[in-house]
Amino acid sequence: MKSIETLDWSYITDDLHRKGYGLIEQVLSPSECDELIASYNEPAHYRKTIVMERYRFGLGEYKYFQYPLPDLIQHLRQSFYSKLALVANKWMQVLNIDQHYPADFQDFQTKCHEKQQTKPTVLILKYGEGGHNTLHQDLYGDLFFPIQLVIFLSDPENDYTGGEFVLTQQTPRAQSKAIVLKPRKGDILVFTTNFKPVKGTKGYYRVNMKHGVSEVTSGNRFTLGIIFHDALS
């Protein structure tokens, strides 16, 4: 795995401010991705399994990890949080939202637990042929962190076809904009959980965003989602 500290954070931060997302290429090695996929069938790692069609979320399955998280995932969660808290606090400032995120992940997690949000939200997702995920936001409680990660564990075209990652941007009094991405195995996409600030002629305003996955046309697609806030249940 690449060192999180040595990534080009100036570039990543600029992308987040401008677009609401940023792609970081080849952070995890192929073997690290394969190990995470292999762990999908090890029940001891997980607290809950969701079959998506039961809830009309789409078609596929995902599993929530339980604490303690595997070392690799815990390292990613803590390391990325400390960098992204700076961006999150800037967003809150320019939008005049009364919310401040601590610099240290453990302090943020303590705030979650004070809100009775104690369940881990890190999850691994599996889509087969026909699998998809409807547009949504991952909030889980009153306290949420406005940025999250998705790590791509499968190789498009070799492991699966279709299955593009989709973001939609709803600018006030305008039609929605769709953004379609197809990252490679080992890439990490950093993106807004539910909104981003945009500067207009009268100051900053809030633009809501959702994300989902287009239909997988063949093969199996695995991803790992890292959400920084915990859940109520």
Side-chain angles (χ1 to χ4, degrees), residues 8 24 26 47 53 60 85 90 117 124 126 143 149 160 163 168 186 193 196 201 203 216-217 222 225 230-231:
D8 189 346
I24 313 170
Q26 304 296 281
R47 67 175 179 89
E53 54 265 41
K90 181 65 175 178
Q117 295 176 216
I124 188 167
K126 178 184 179 181
L143 179 60
L149 315 177
Y160 69 95
T168 60
T193 302
K196 69 167 184 170
T201 56
V216 174
T217 53
F222 287 87
D230 285 338

Side-chain angles (χ1 to χ4, degrees), residues 47 64-67 69 74 77 81 105-122 138-145 226-233:
R47 67 175 179 89
Y64 288 107
F65 283 83
Q66 64 180 357
Y67 285 132
L69 298 175
Q74 181 67 15
R77 204 179 189 207
Y81 174 88
F105 176 70
Q106 297 300 333
D107 292 338
F108 174 66
Q109 196 165 54
T110 296
K111 287 182 174 290
C112 287
H113 294 179
E114 289 170 353
K115 295 281 191 180
Q116 309 305 313
Q117 295 176 216
T118 60
K119 302 292 186 181
T121 49
V122 176
D138 297 306
L139 299 180
Y140 293 104
D142 290 338
L143 179 60
F144 64 89
F145 192 72
I226 295 184
I227 297 154
F228 296 99
H229 46 276
D230 285 338
L232 289 167
S233 61

Side-chain angles (χ1 to χ4, degrees), residues 202-222:
K202 298 180 180 179
Y204 285 89
Y205 61 93
R206 173 173 167 161
V207 169
N208 289 325
M209 296 184 74
K210 294 184 178 183
H211 64 278
V213 177
S214 72
E215 185 173 343
V216 174
T217 53
S218 67
N220 289 308
R221 178 191 188 274
F222 287 87

Side-chain angles (χ1 to χ4, degrees), residues 20 22-23 57 64 69 84 91 93 107 126 129 143 157 167 173-174 191 193 196 224 226:
L23 182 63
F57 292 163
Y64 288 107
L69 298 175
L84 296 174
W91 288 6
Q93 177 189 349
D107 292 338
K126 178 184 179 181
E129 185 175 343
L143 179 60
E157 308 309 332
L167 286 163
R173 298 178 297 280
F191 63 101
T193 302
K196 69 167 184 170
L224 178 74
I226 295 184

Side-chain angles (χ1 to χ4, degrees), residues 23 25-26 152-156 182-188:
L23 182 63
E25 296 182 342
Q26 304 296 281
F152 294 80
L153 306 178
S154 304
D155 187 25
K182 198 157 191 177
R184 297 176 297 163
K185 183 173 184 172
D187 291 353
I188 294 182

